[in-house]
Amino acid sequence: MVSKIAFGGIPIQRLSVGEAVKVVRGAINLGVNFIDTANGYSDSEEKIGLAIKDVPRDSLVLASKSGASDKKMFLSHLDLSLTRLGVDFIDLYQLHGVSSEEGYNAVFAEGGAYEGLEEAVRAGKVRFPAFSSHNIPVAMRIMREGRFAAVQLPFNYVDDEATKEAIPLAKELDMGFIAMKPFGGGLLSDANLSIKYLSQFDNIIPDPGIEKLSEMEEIARIIESNGPFTPADGLAIEKAKAELGSRWCHRCDYCRPCPQNIGISMVLNVESIMKRLPADRTLAMAGHCMETARNCTECRACVKKCPYNLDVPALIKEKLALWAVYVSENTPVCVD
């Protein structure tokens, strides 16, 4: 059993060790017992490990992930996660971001990451196998195969495709459902509305990225108040959807491939990355993609393929302008 909210470990990468430890411990003191991070989140696992070293192990449910596609690298990531977290086992270890046919084929191939996950479960290093994805059709295919105890997918009141089939399927299969990006990766500002919307679904756990203890305290207050989702809340969501509908990239990647090889979903969601990751990681992760975006010829092939009718070329221009400001503010200047 887990708390009604999880602690997502992405944003603490930006904090000092001392600050991060205080935030994690503060969340635990508020009653949060489910902590989710990943091998790829730089020092997040290490900071969480320091925060929980004096906490009884059986009082926590720890989750982490590996983005490796082959068995050898996956097991290497797992051992590193165990060391960083300072534990003998991880409750939920996830194949990280299985979001395409190519990714699916790689992790389930002979010698693939899934073989490593099976071995880790047999060895007692992992209690339950899980996976995360940004692609609902791929995720549902994996869910139906019956290999996993839990799935993690994007889900919030705007990015709500999971309500149609994925959440009901998880309930049918008795799988845990972790709601990734419950606040849209930092783009949905109304925490009350976000949490109340998600509280309608009894078989999911929201997993927000937390950087400040005040954020966790606000969420805890909303959950404790347990106000019902009202018709007025529904109207507020419809208004928000109308405002965001022509501006919101759902990361479905139906727009790909781009003739100029632009990673469109990365470009259109770069603000979320800016808000969640340290500047050095943001620049490293998104820099090449944003430079490639300058090659956009406005051919509009992406617009024709987008199921949400986004004006992708116009949005790319907007994101490039934001990126230019971000780079100028976060690039060290050498002074003689």
Side-chain angles (χ1 to χ4, degrees), residues 3-5 7 22-33 210 212-221 223-224:
S3 46
K4 292 182 179 180
I5 197 78
F7 180 98
K22 286 181 181 178
V23 172
V24 177
R25 287 181 178 167
I28 293 171
N29 290 337
L30 286 168
V32 177
N33 72 346
I210 300 296
K212 302 174 183 176
L213 184 56
S214 59
E215 296 169 342
M216 198 82 255
E217 290 170 338
E218 179 183 5
I219 293 169
R221 283 194 297 269
I223 292 173
E224 191 171 338

Side-chain angles (χ1 to χ4, degrees), residues 19 28 30 49 60-61 68 77-78 82-83 90 134-135 140 155 168 228 238 263 286 301 303 307 310 320:
E19 290 171 331
I28 293 171
L30 286 168
L60 297 174
V61 177
H77 284 179
L78 171 60
L82 290 165
T83 299
I90 295 173
H134 286 84
N135 185 302
M140 289 181 62
F155 181 47
E238 290 308 312
V303 177
L310 299 184
L320 282 171

Side-chain angles (χ1 to χ4, degrees), residues 61-73:
V61 177
L62 299 179
S64 195
K65 316 175 190 74
S66 166
S69 58
D70 66 280
K71 176 181 177 179
K72 182 178 180 181
M73 184 60 71

Side-chain angles (χ1 to χ4, degrees), residues 130-144:
F131 75 98
S132 71
S133 178
H134 286 84
N135 185 302
I136 298 232
V138 171
M140 289 181 62
R141 174 184 175 184
I142 298 171
M143 291 166 70
R144 289 190 180 103

Side-chain angles (χ1 to χ4, degrees), residues 177-217:
F177 187 102
I178 304 167
M180 183 198 310
K181 299 180 176 65
F183 302 131
L187 300 181
L188 303 180
S189 59
D190 191 330
N192 183 62
L193 192 59
S194 296
I195 294 298
K196 285 178 72 176
Y197 172 78
L198 295 173
S199 68
Q200 300 175 97
F201 303 89
D202 61 4
N203 64 316
I204 73 164
I205 177 168
D207 185 20
I210 300 296
E211 184 173 9
K212 302 174 183 176
L213 184 56
S214 59
E215 296 169 342
M216 198 82 255
E217 290 170 338

Side-chain angles (χ1 to χ4, degrees), residues 278 282 311:
T282 298
D311 188 344

Side-chain angles (χ1 to χ4, degrees), residues 22-258:
K22 286 181 181 178
V23 172
V24 177
R25 287 181 178 167
I28 293 171
N29 290 337
L30 286 168
V32 177
N33 72 346
F34 184 30
I35 300 174
D36 180 49
T37 183
N39 173 272
Y41 297 165
S42 63
D43 61 358
S44 176
E45 288 179 323
E46 292 170 298
K47 289 170 176 173
I48 290 168
L50 289 171
I52 67 172
K53 65 180 181 179
D54 297 321
V55 179
R57 179 66 184 88
D58 61 1
S59 70
L60 297 174
V61 177
L62 299 179
S64 195
K65 316 175 190 74
S66 166
S69 58
D70 66 280
K71 176 181 177 179
K72 182 178 180 181
M73 184 60 71
F74 177 88
L75 291 173
S76 173
H77 284 179
L78 171 60
D79 286 341
L80 184 56
S81 293
L82 290 165
T83 299
R84 288 169 168 174
L85 290 166
V87 295
D88 296 324
F89 67 91
I90 295 173
D91 297 282
L92 206 68
Y93 208 69
Q94 302 158 77
L95 301 178
H96 196 172
V98 187
S99 303
S100 66
E101 189 73 16
E102 294 79 10
Y104 174 94
N105 290 336
V107 298
F108 291 113
E110 184 176 351
Y114 180 70
E115 286 188 6
L117 183 53
E118 284 187 305
E119 182 175 305
V121 172
R122 289 194 298 269
K125 294 182 177 181
V126 172
R127 291 185 66 206
F128 300 104
F131 75 98
S132 71
S133 178
H134 286 84
N135 185 302
I136 298 232
V138 171
M140 289 181 62
R141 174 184 175 184
I142 298 171
M143 291 166 70
R144 289 190 180 103
E145 292 173 357
R147 306 173 192 249
F148 296 95
V151 57
Q152 182 165 183
L153 288 168
F155 181 47
N156 53 67
Y157 67 74
V158 175
D159 202 357
D160 60 358
E161 186 182 351
T163 60
K164 298 173 185 175
E165 295 182 84
I167 290 175
L169 180 62
K171 194 167 188 175
E172 176 188 331
L173 298 173
D174 197 27
M175 290 182 70
F177 187 102
I178 304 167
M180 183 198 310
K181 299 180 176 65
F183 302 131
L187 300 181
L188 303 180
S189 59
D190 191 330
N192 183 62
L193 192 59
S194 296
I195 294 298
K196 285 178 72 176
Y197 172 78
L198 295 173
S199 68
Q200 300 175 97
F201 303 89
D202 61 4
N203 64 316
I204 73 164
I205 177 168
D207 185 20
I210 300 296
E211 184 173 9
K212 302 174 183 176
L213 184 56
S214 59
E215 296 169 342
M216 198 82 255
E217 290 170 338
E218 179 183 5
I219 293 169
R221 283 194 297 269
I222 294 168
I223 292 173
E224 191 171 338
S225 68
N226 199 29
F229 187 79
T230 66
D233 294 325
L235 289 174
I237 283 177
E238 290 308 312
K239 182 179 179 182
K241 283 185 173 183
E243 292 172 352
L244 288 168
S246 61
R247 319 291 299 165
W248 176 269
C249 172
H250 291 245
R251 305 178 181 88
C252 66
D253 281 334
Y254 295 142
C255 55
R256 297 179 67 184
C258 166

